[in-house]
Every structure is written in structure tokens, then in C-alpha cells.
Amino acid sequence: NAGVTQTPKFRILKIGQSMTLQCAQDMNHNYMYWYRQDPGMGLKLIYYSVGAGITDKGEVPNGYNVSRSTTEDFPLRLELAAPSQTSVYFCASSDLMYNTEAFFGQGTRLTVV
Amino acid sequence: GESVGLHLPTLSVQEGDNSIINCAYSNSASDYFIWYKQESGKGPQFIIDIRSNMDKRQGQRVTVLLNKTVKHLSLQIAATQPGDSAVYFCAERATSGTYKYIFGTGTRLKVLA
């Protein structure tokens, strides 16, 4: 049982490049989330999903896209990287039917130069 | 809109003393409030939660207090230890079917030897 796994751990992108941040969970959780955390700041919700095939915008969705084709995977796509997207990205999952605890991955540190 | 904030960005506490971390929230419709601990370089980790119909909940060395009248949440850590040094976030779970977690800015707790 690995919990929430994010890849890659680190990435440097050039302005205008695109990439996909991977997130997978093996706890059969319906709810999954993507957050970004800027230095010295809290977590801002980018997108979330309440189940396979269902996604919705969070607080800061601009510049990102997500998909949820399976319960396990919730990739985050950056199409045209900008310096403002330099941040640490966290994926989380939860089973809100039974408890409030959200399990977080270790994060992906992204730098856009 | 929904927002969760914290009163103190940094808190320094002597080892063995009690710590109190505060949080203000604005969405009175949230049904759960949660405290997370984030150690350097790691994802947030669940500490304790409290349902909106409660005013106090105790865990191991931690107590969460909820004052709905003034929309205030606090985390009390008894006999603070060096391992408690981290950033602490409060979060609220939004209701109305979306089940989003909205995080506050965070408080850094420094434990002095």
C-alpha cells in the first residue's frame, strides 16, 4: 500500500513547454485533489475530482488541465508553462464518505525558467 | 468567498511548554475543520479534525477547539517537543456536495531547546 504517489519529484521547464504531473493512489479513494504551494504560503486548490470521469475547478485553475479516467490516476497537465507556475504541487486523495483525512503525496517541485 | 486564515505566521515555543496555534475561518457552512502538519520537504499530514457540531476534540497531546460564534479554530499541543517543529495548516471542508478542502496560510512552529 503505497498511498499517494507523485512523479516526478523535481522538474525544470522552460517557458512555453508543457508537461504532465502524475498522481496515483492505491487506496480506492473517490476524491482526489491537486494543490499548489508557493514559498512560505498555504495550499491553493487547483482542481479536484469526486470520481472517475468527474472533475471541477478549484481556486486557481487557470493554466492547468486535469483528467480522471480511472479511480487511481489524476494527472495534472500544464500546457504553456509560465514562471508564475513555479511552485510545489501536491496531489491528495480522500474517502470522504467515512472520514475527513486527506492523504498527500510527497510533492513535485516545479521550476519554470 | 470562502477563506481560511491564520493569526500568527511564526510561533516560537520552549520545549516542554504548551503551544497554541490559531486560525480564523469565514465559511460558516463548512462541516469539518482539520489541522495538518507539514514538515520540511514533505506533504501535509493529518493531525486531528473536528466536526462543526462540536466545540472540542482531544487526541494524543493535541486538542482542537472550535468557536463558531467568532469563527475561530485553535490547535493546542501539550508538552511541545522538537519533533513538533513544522508548519501547521488549518483547513475547512466545504459542503454543498463539493467536498473541497480549503487551506489557510499556515503557522510555522519553532520549538526552542
Side-chain angles (χ1 to χ4, degrees), chain B residues 36-97:
Chain B
Y36 281 88
K37 173 185 180 183
Q38 186 179 26
E39 295 175 298
S40 181
K42 297 184 179 180
Q45 193 173 17
F46 175 90
I47 301 173
I48 191 169
D49 64 0
I50 186 167
R51 195 165 184 163
S52 59
N53 62 356
M54 301 170 64
D55 53 20
K56 181 179 180 179
R57 190 173 185 207
Q58 287 184 293
Q60 188 178 12
R61 279 201 311 119
V62 295
T63 301
V64 56
L65 299 177
L66 176 63
N67 186 330
K68 293 182 288 295
T69 303
V70 295
K71 296 181 183 175
H72 184 267
L73 187 71
S74 70
L75 176 70
Q76 300 179 0
I77 304 173
T80 310
Q81 302 169 358
D84 295 327
S85 293
V87 177
Y88 290 81
F89 294 97
C90 66
E92 58 182 309
R93 189 181 81 169
T95 52
S96 67

Side-chain angles (χ1 to χ4, degrees), chain A residues 31 33 35 37 40-45 48 50 56-59 90 94 96-97 99-107 109, chain B residues 2 31-34 36 38 41-46 48-50 87 89 93 97-106 108:
Chain A
Y31 298 85
Y33 312 84
Y35 289 89
Q37 185 177 31
M41 303 294 286
L43 288 86
K44 294 292 186 184
L45 181 64
Y48 67 101
V50 300
D56 208 347
K57 296 178 181 178
E59 302 168 272
F90 288 101
S94 69
L96 288 177
M97 186 72 73
N99 63 72
T100 61
E101 181 174 358
F103 294 82
F104 282 80
Q106 291 295 297
R109 184 175 295 276
Chain B
E2 301 165 351
D31 64 347
Y32 272 98
F33 299 89
I34 309 114
Y36 281 88
Q38 186 179 26
K42 297 184 179 180
Q45 193 173 17
F46 175 90
I48 191 169
D49 64 0
I50 186 167
V87 177
F89 294 97
R93 189 181 81 169
T98 60
Y99 298 106
K100 297 183 293 185
Y101 291 94
I102 304 297
F103 282 76
T105 306
R108 181 175 300 280

Side-chain angles (χ1 to χ4, degrees), chain A residues 3 8 21 28 34-35 37 45 58 67 77 84 87-88 93 96 105 107-109 113:
Chain A
L21 282 68
N28 201 33
W34 273 107
Y35 289 89
Q37 185 177 31
L45 181 64
S67 60
R77 178 84 177 163
S84 61
S87 190
V88 180
S93 73
L96 288 177
T108 294
R109 184 175 295 276
V113 296

Side-chain angles (χ1 to χ4, degrees), chain A residues 3-4 7 9 14 26 35 37-38 72 78-79:
Chain A
V4 179
T7 56
K9 287 187 170 55
K14 292 184 178 178
D26 61 0
Y35 289 89
Q37 185 177 31
D38 298 332
E72 295 77 19
L78 283 72
E79 290 295 348

